[in-house]
Coordinates of all heavy atoms in Angstrom, one line a residue:
Chain A
E232 N 14.0 -12.5 -18.8 CA 12.9 -13.1 -19.6 C 11.8 -13.7 -18.6 O 12.2 -14.4 -17.7 CB 13.5 -14.2 -20.4 CG 12.5 -14.8 -21.3 CD 13.2 -16.0 -22.2 OE1 13.5 -17.0 -21.7 OE2 13.3 -15.7 -23.4
Q233 N 10.6 -13.3 -18.8 CA 9.5 -13.8 -18.0 C 9.0 -15.1 -18.5 O 8.7 -15.2 -19.8 CB 8.4 -12.8 -17.9 CG 8.8 -11.4 -17.6 CD 9.1 -11.3 -16.1 OE1 8.6 -11.9 -15.3 NE2 10.0 -10.3 -15.7
V234 N 8.9 -16.1 -17.7 CA 8.4 -17.4 -18.1 C 7.3 -18.0 -17.1 O 7.6 -17.9 -15.9 CB 9.5 -18.4 -18.3 CG1 9.0 -19.8 -18.7 CG2 10.6 -17.9 -19.2
I235 N 6.2 -18.4 -17.5 CA 5.3 -19.2 -16.8 C 5.5 -20.6 -17.0 O 5.4 -21.0 -18.2 CB 3.8 -18.7 -16.9 CG1 3.7 -17.2 -16.6 CG2 2.9 -19.5 -16.1 CD1 2.3 -16.6 -16.9
V236 N 5.6 -21.5 -16.0 CA 5.8 -22.9 -16.3 C 4.6 -23.6 -15.7 O 4.2 -23.4 -14.6 CB 7.0 -23.4 -15.6 CG1 7.1 -24.9 -15.7 CG2 8.3 -22.8 -16.2
L237 N 4.1 -24.5 -16.6 CA 3.0 -25.4 -16.2 C 3.4 -26.9 -16.4 O 4.0 -27.3 -17.3 CB 1.7 -25.2 -17.2 CG 1.3 -23.7 -17.4 CD1 0.3 -23.7 -18.5 CD2 0.7 -23.2 -16.1
R238 N 3.3 -27.6 -15.3 CA 3.8 -28.9 -15.3 C 2.7 -29.9 -15.8 O 1.5 -29.5 -15.9 CB 4.2 -29.3 -13.9 CG 5.3 -28.5 -13.2 CD 6.5 -28.8 -13.8 NE 7.6 -27.8 -13.3 CZ 8.8 -27.6 -13.9 NH1 9.1 -28.3 -15.0 NH2 9.7 -26.7 -13.4
S239 N 3.2 -31.1 -16.2 CA 2.4 -32.0 -16.9 C 1.1 -32.5 -16.1 O 0.2 -33.1 -16.7 CB 3.2 -33.3 -17.4 OG 3.5 -34.0 -16.1
V240 N 1.1 -32.3 -14.8 CA -0.1 -32.7 -13.9 C -1.3 -32.0 -14.4 O -2.4 -32.4 -14.1 CB 0.3 -32.4 -12.5 CG1 0.3 -30.8 -12.3 CG2 -0.6 -33.1 -11.6
Q241 N -1.2 -31.0 -15.2 CA -2.3 -30.3 -15.8 C -3.0 -31.0 -17.0 O -4.1 -30.7 -17.3 CB -2.0 -28.9 -16.3 CG -1.0 -28.0 -15.4 CD -1.5 -27.9 -13.9 OE1 -2.7 -28.1 -13.6 NE2 -0.6 -27.7 -13.1
F242 N -2.4 -32.1 -17.4 CA -2.9 -32.9 -18.5 C -3.2 -34.3 -18.1 O -2.6 -34.8 -17.2 CB -1.9 -33.0 -19.7 CG -1.6 -31.5 -20.3 CD1 -0.5 -30.9 -19.8 CD2 -2.4 -31.0 -21.2 CE1 -0.2 -29.7 -20.3 CE2 -2.1 -29.8 -21.8 CZ -1.0 -29.1 -21.3
A243 N -4.2 -34.9 -18.7 CA -4.5 -36.2 -18.6 C -3.3 -37.1 -19.1 O -2.6 -36.6 -20.1 CB -5.8 -36.7 -19.4
F244 N -3.0 -38.3 -18.6 CA -1.9 -39.1 -19.0 C -1.8 -39.3 -20.5 O -2.8 -39.7 -21.1 CB -1.8 -40.4 -18.2 CG -0.7 -41.3 -18.6 CD1 0.6 -41.0 -18.3 CD2 -1.0 -42.4 -19.4 CE1 1.6 -41.8 -18.6 CE2 0.1 -43.2 -19.8 CZ 1.4 -42.9 -19.3
D245 N -0.7 -39.0 -21.1 CA -0.4 -39.2 -22.5 C -1.5 -38.6 -23.4 O -2.0 -39.1 -24.4 CB -0.4 -40.8 -22.7 CG 0.2 -41.1 -24.1 OD1 1.0 -40.3 -24.6 OD2 -0.1 -42.2 -24.7
S246 N -2.0 -37.4 -23.0 CA -3.0 -36.7 -23.7 C -2.8 -35.2 -23.7 O -2.1 -34.7 -22.8 CB -4.3 -37.1 -22.9 OG -5.4 -36.2 -23.4
A247 N -3.4 -34.6 -24.6 CA -3.3 -33.2 -24.7 C -4.5 -32.5 -24.0 O -4.7 -31.2 -24.0 CB -3.2 -32.7 -26.2
A248 N -5.4 -33.3 -23.5 CA -6.7 -32.8 -22.9 C -6.3 -32.3 -21.5 O -5.7 -33.0 -20.7 CB -7.7 -33.9 -22.8
L249 N -6.8 -31.0 -21.2 CA -6.5 -30.4 -19.9 C -7.5 -31.1 -18.9 O -8.6 -31.4 -19.3 CB -6.8 -28.9 -19.9 CG -5.7 -28.1 -20.7 CD1 -6.3 -26.8 -21.1 CD2 -4.5 -28.0 -19.8
T250 N -7.0 -31.4 -17.7 CA -7.8 -31.9 -16.7 C -8.7 -30.8 -16.1 O -8.4 -29.5 -16.3 CB -7.1 -32.4 -15.4 OG1 -6.3 -31.3 -14.9 CG2 -6.1 -33.5 -15.8
K251 N -9.8 -31.1 -15.6 CA -10.8 -30.1 -15.0 C -10.2 -29.2 -14.0 O -10.3 -28.0 -14.0 CB -12.0 -30.8 -14.4 CG -13.2 -29.9 -14.1 CD -14.1 -29.8 -15.4 CE -15.3 -28.9 -15.0 NZ -15.1 -27.5 -15.2
D252 N -9.3 -29.9 -13.2 CA -8.7 -29.0 -12.1 C -7.7 -28.1 -12.6 O -7.3 -27.2 -11.9 CB -7.9 -30.1 -11.2 CG -9.0 -30.8 -10.3 OD1 -10.1 -30.3 -10.1 OD2 -8.7 -32.0 -9.9
A253 N -7.2 -28.3 -13.8 CA -6.1 -27.4 -14.4 C -6.6 -26.1 -14.8 O -5.9 -25.1 -15.0 CB -5.5 -28.1 -15.6
E254 N -8.0 -26.0 -14.9 CA -8.6 -24.8 -15.4 C -8.3 -23.6 -14.5 O -8.0 -22.5 -15.0 CB -10.1 -25.0 -15.5 CG -10.5 -25.8 -16.7 CD -12.0 -26.0 -16.8 OE1 -12.8 -25.4 -16.1 OE2 -12.4 -26.9 -17.7
S255 N -8.3 -23.9 -13.2 CA -8.0 -22.7 -12.3 C -6.5 -22.2 -12.5 O -6.2 -21.1 -12.4 CB -8.2 -23.1 -10.8 OG -7.4 -24.3 -10.5
V256 N -5.6 -23.2 -12.8 CA -4.2 -22.8 -13.1 C -4.1 -22.0 -14.4 O -3.4 -21.0 -14.3 CB -3.4 -24.1 -13.2 CG1 -1.9 -23.8 -13.6 CG2 -3.3 -24.9 -11.8
L257 N -4.8 -22.4 -15.3 CA -4.7 -21.6 -16.5 C -5.5 -20.3 -16.5 O -5.1 -19.3 -17.1 CB -5.3 -22.5 -17.7 CG -4.2 -23.6 -18.1 CD1 -4.9 -24.7 -18.8 CD2 -3.2 -22.9 -19.0
D258 N -6.5 -20.3 -15.7 CA -7.2 -18.9 -15.4 C -6.2 -18.0 -14.9 O -6.1 -16.8 -15.2 CB -8.4 -19.1 -14.5 CG -9.6 -19.6 -15.2 OD1 -9.7 -19.5 -16.5 OD2 -10.5 -20.2 -14.5
E259 N -5.3 -18.5 -13.9 CA -4.4 -17.6 -13.3 C -3.3 -17.2 -14.3 O -2.8 -16.1 -14.4 CB -3.7 -18.4 -12.1 CG -2.7 -17.6 -11.3 CD -3.2 -16.4 -10.6 OE1 -4.4 -16.4 -10.3 OE2 -2.4 -15.5 -10.3
A260 N -2.9 -18.2 -15.2 CA -1.9 -17.8 -16.2 C -2.4 -16.7 -17.2 O -1.7 -15.9 -17.5 CB -1.6 -19.1 -17.0
A261 N -3.8 -16.9 -17.4 CA -4.4 -15.9 -18.3 C -4.3 -14.5 -17.6 O -4.0 -13.4 -18.3 CB -5.8 -16.2 -18.6
L262 N -4.5 -14.5 -16.4 CA -4.5 -13.2 -15.5 C -3.1 -12.6 -15.7 O -2.9 -11.4 -15.9 CB -4.8 -13.4 -14.1 CG -6.3 -13.5 -13.7 CD1 -6.4 -13.8 -12.2 CD2 -7.0 -12.1 -13.9
L263 N -2.1 -13.4 -15.5 CA -0.7 -13.0 -15.5 C -0.4 -12.4 -16.9 O 0.3 -11.5 -17.1 CB 0.2 -14.1 -15.1 CG 0.1 -14.5 -13.6 CD1 1.0 -15.8 -13.4 CD2 0.5 -13.4 -12.7
I264 N -0.8 -13.1 -17.9 CA -0.5 -12.7 -19.3 C -1.1 -11.4 -19.6 O -0.6 -10.5 -20.2 CB -1.0 -13.8 -20.3 CG1 -0.1 -15.0 -20.2 CG2 -1.0 -13.3 -21.7 CD1 -0.6 -16.2 -21.0
N265 N -2.4 -11.2 -19.1 CA -3.2 -10.0 -19.4 C -2.6 -8.8 -18.6 O -2.9 -7.7 -18.8 CB -4.7 -10.1 -19.2 CG -5.3 -10.9 -20.4 OD1 -4.7 -10.9 -21.6 ND2 -6.4 -11.5 -20.2
E266 N -1.8 -9.1 -17.5 CA -1.1 -8.0 -16.8 C -0.1 -7.3 -17.6 O 0.4 -6.3 -17.3 CB -0.6 -8.5 -15.5 CG -1.5 -8.6 -14.4 CD -1.0 -9.3 -13.1 OE1 0.2 -9.6 -13.0 OE2 -1.8 -9.6 -12.2
Q267 N 0.3 -8.0 -18.7 CA 1.4 -7.4 -19.6 C 0.8 -7.4 -21.0 O 1.3 -8.2 -21.9 CB 2.7 -8.3 -19.5 CG 3.3 -8.4 -18.1 CD 4.7 -8.8 -18.1 OE1 5.6 -8.2 -18.6 NE2 4.9 -9.9 -17.4
P268 N -0.1 -6.5 -21.3 CA -0.8 -6.6 -22.5 C 0.0 -6.3 -23.7 O -0.4 -6.5 -24.9 CB -1.9 -5.5 -22.3 CG -1.4 -4.6 -21.2 CD -0.5 -5.4 -20.4
N269 N 1.1 -5.7 -23.6 CA 2.0 -5.4 -24.7 C 2.9 -6.5 -25.1 O 3.7 -6.3 -26.1 CB 2.8 -4.1 -24.4 CG 2.0 -2.8 -24.0 OD1 0.9 -2.8 -24.7 ND2 2.5 -2.0 -23.2
K270 N 2.9 -7.6 -24.4 CA 3.8 -8.6 -24.8 C 3.2 -9.8 -25.5 O 2.0 -10.1 -25.2 CB 4.5 -9.2 -23.5 CG 5.3 -8.1 -22.8 CD 6.5 -8.7 -22.1 CE 7.4 -7.5 -21.7 NZ 8.5 -8.0 -20.8
H271 N 3.9 -10.4 -26.4 CA 3.5 -11.6 -27.0 C 4.0 -12.8 -26.2 O 5.0 -12.7 -25.5 CB 4.0 -11.8 -28.4 CG 3.3 -10.9 -29.4 ND1 3.5 -9.5 -29.6 CD2 2.4 -11.2 -30.3 CE1 2.7 -9.0 -30.4 NE2 2.0 -10.1 -31.0
V272 N 3.4 -13.9 -26.3 CA 3.7 -15.1 -25.5 C 3.8 -16.3 -26.4 O 2.9 -16.6 -27.3 CB 2.6 -15.4 -24.4 CG1 2.9 -16.6 -23.6 CG2 2.5 -14.2 -23.5
V273 N 4.9 -17.0 -26.3 CA 5.0 -18.3 -27.1 C 4.7 -19.4 -26.1 O 5.3 -19.5 -25.1 CB 6.5 -18.5 -27.6 CG1 6.6 -19.7 -28.3 CG2 6.8 -17.3 -28.5
V274 N 3.8 -20.2 -26.5 CA 3.4 -21.4 -25.7 C 4.2 -22.6 -26.2 O 4.0 -23.0 -27.3 CB 1.9 -21.6 -25.9 CG1 1.5 -22.7 -24.9 CG2 1.1 -20.4 -25.5
E275 N 5.2 -23.0 -25.4 CA 6.1 -24.1 -25.8 C 5.8 -25.3 -25.1 O 5.8 -25.4 -23.8 CB 7.5 -23.7 -25.4 CG 8.0 -22.4 -26.1 CD 9.5 -22.1 -25.7 OE1 10.1 -22.8 -24.9 OE2 9.9 -21.1 -26.2
G276 N 5.6 -26.4 -25.8 CA 5.4 -27.7 -25.2 C 6.7 -28.5 -25.2 O 7.4 -28.5 -26.1
H277 N 6.9 -29.2 -24.1 CA 8.1 -29.9 -23.9 C 7.8 -31.3 -23.2 O 6.8 -31.4 -22.5 CB 9.1 -29.3 -23.0 CG 9.6 -27.9 -23.4 ND1 10.7 -27.8 -24.2 CD2 9.1 -26.7 -23.3 CE1 10.9 -26.5 -24.5 NE2 9.9 -25.8 -23.9
T278 N 8.6 -32.3 -23.5 CA 8.3 -33.7 -23.0 C 9.6 -34.2 -22.4 O 10.7 -33.6 -22.7 CB 7.8 -34.6 -24.0 OG1 8.8 -34.9 -24.9 CG2 6.6 -34.2 -24.7
D279 N 9.5 -35.3 -21.8 CA 10.8 -36.0 -21.4 C 11.2 -36.9 -22.6 O 10.6 -36.8 -23.6 CB 10.6 -36.9 -20.1 CG 9.6 -37.9 -20.3 OD1 9.2 -38.3 -21.4 OD2 9.1 -38.4 -19.2
N280 N 12.2 -37.7 -22.3 CA 12.6 -38.5 -23.5 C 12.1 -40.0 -23.5 O 12.6 -40.8 -24.2 CB 14.2 -38.6 -23.6 CG 14.7 -39.3 -22.4 OD1 14.0 -39.7 -21.4 ND2 16.1 -39.5 -22.4
S281 N 10.9 -40.2 -22.8 CA 10.3 -41.5 -22.8 C 9.5 -41.5 -24.1 O 8.8 -40.6 -24.4 CB 9.3 -41.7 -21.6 OG 10.0 -41.4 -20.4
G282 N 9.5 -42.7 -24.8 CA 8.7 -42.9 -26.0 C 9.4 -42.3 -27.2 O 10.5 -41.7 -27.2
P283 N 8.8 -42.5 -28.4 CA 9.4 -42.1 -29.6 C 9.5 -40.6 -29.8 O 8.5 -39.8 -29.4 CB 8.4 -42.7 -30.7 CG 7.6 -43.6 -30.0 CD 7.5 -43.2 -28.6
E284 N 10.6 -40.2 -30.4 CA 10.8 -38.7 -30.5 C 9.7 -38.0 -31.3 O 9.3 -37.0 -30.9 CB 12.1 -38.5 -31.2 CG 12.8 -37.1 -31.0 CD 14.2 -37.0 -31.5 OE1 14.9 -38.0 -31.6 OE2 14.5 -35.9 -31.9
A285 N 9.3 -38.6 -32.4 CA 8.3 -38.0 -33.2 C 7.0 -37.8 -32.5 O 6.2 -36.8 -32.6 CB 8.1 -38.8 -34.6
Y286 N 6.6 -38.9 -31.8 CA 5.4 -38.8 -31.0 C 5.4 -37.8 -29.9 O 4.5 -37.0 -29.7 CB 5.2 -40.2 -30.3 CG 3.9 -40.2 -29.5 CD1 2.7 -40.3 -30.0 CD2 3.9 -40.0 -28.1 CE1 1.5 -40.4 -29.3 CE2 2.8 -40.0 -27.3 CZ 1.6 -40.1 -27.9 OH 0.4 -40.1 -27.2
N287 N 6.6 -37.6 -29.3 CA 6.7 -36.6 -28.2 C 6.6 -35.2 -28.8 O 6.1 -34.2 -28.3 CB 8.1 -36.8 -27.6 CG 8.1 -37.9 -26.6 OD1 7.1 -38.3 -26.0 ND2 9.3 -38.5 -26.3
A288 N 7.2 -35.0 -30.0 CA 7.1 -33.7 -30.7 C 5.6 -33.4 -31.0 O 5.1 -32.3 -30.7 CB 7.9 -33.8 -32.0
G289 N 4.9 -34.3 -31.5 CA 3.4 -34.2 -31.7 C 2.7 -33.9 -30.4 O 1.8 -32.9 -30.4
L290 N 2.9 -34.7 -29.4 CA 2.2 -34.5 -28.1 C 2.4 -33.1 -27.5 O 1.5 -32.5 -27.0 CB 2.6 -35.6 -27.1 CG 2.0 -35.5 -25.8 CD1 0.5 -35.7 -25.8 CD2 2.6 -36.5 -24.8
S291 N 3.7 -32.7 -27.6 CA 4.1 -31.3 -27.0 C 3.3 -30.3 -27.7 O 3.0 -29.3 -27.2 CB 5.6 -31.2 -27.0 OG 6.1 -31.1 -28.3
L292 N 3.3 -30.4 -29.0 CA 2.6 -29.3 -29.8 C 1.1 -29.3 -29.5 O 0.5 -28.2 -29.3 CB 2.8 -29.5 -31.4 CG 2.2 -28.5 -32.2 CD1 2.7 -27.1 -31.9 CD2 2.4 -28.8 -33.7
R293 N 0.5 -30.5 -29.4 CA -0.9 -30.6 -29.2 C -1.2 -30.0 -27.8 O -2.2 -29.3 -27.6 CB -1.4 -32.0 -29.2 CG -1.5 -32.5 -30.7 CD -2.3 -33.8 -30.7 NE -1.8 -35.0 -29.9 CZ -0.8 -35.7 -30.3 NH1 -0.1 -35.6 -31.4 NH2 -0.4 -36.8 -29.4
R294 N -0.3 -30.3 -26.8 CA -0.5 -29.7 -25.5 C -0.4 -28.1 -25.5 O -1.2 -27.4 -24.8 CB 0.5 -30.3 -24.5 CG 0.1 -31.7 -24.1 CD 1.0 -32.4 -23.1 NE 0.4 -33.5 -22.5 CZ 1.1 -34.3 -21.6 NH1 2.2 -34.0 -21.2 NH2 0.4 -35.4 -21.2
A295 N 0.5 -27.7 -26.3 CA 0.7 -26.2 -26.3 C -0.6 -25.6 -27.1 O -1.1 -24.6 -26.5 CB 2.0 -25.9 -27.2
Q296 N -1.1 -26.3 -28.0 CA -2.3 -25.8 -28.6 C -3.5 -25.9 -27.7 O -4.4 -25.0 -27.7 CB -2.6 -26.6 -29.9 CG -1.6 -26.3 -31.0 CD -1.6 -27.2 -32.2 OE1 -2.1 -28.4 -32.0 NE2 -1.0 -26.9 -33.2

Side-chain angles (χ1 to χ4, degrees):
Chain A
E232 181 180 71
Q233 307 285 332
V234 181
I235 298 172
V236 173
L237 308 171
R238 299 289 173 194
S239 69
V240 72
Q241 318 305 342
F242 298 95
F244 176 72
D245 196 25
S246 164
L249 289 160
T250 63
K251 192 86 177 90
D252 289 332
E254 289 179 6
S255 56
V256 171
L257 282 159
D258 282 336
E259 181 66 24
L262 276 175
L263 293 175
I264 291 170
N265 282 337
E266 277 175 6
Q267 301 194 61
N269 298 328
K270 296 215 168 164
H271 283 79
V272 176
V273 180
V274 184
E275 299 180 355
H277 299 268
T278 67
D279 61 18
N280 65 352
S281 312
E284 202 173 328
Y286 179 79
N287 284 334
L290 177 63
S291 64
L292 180 60
R293 288 194 301 279
R294 283 182 167 178
Q296 289 166 341

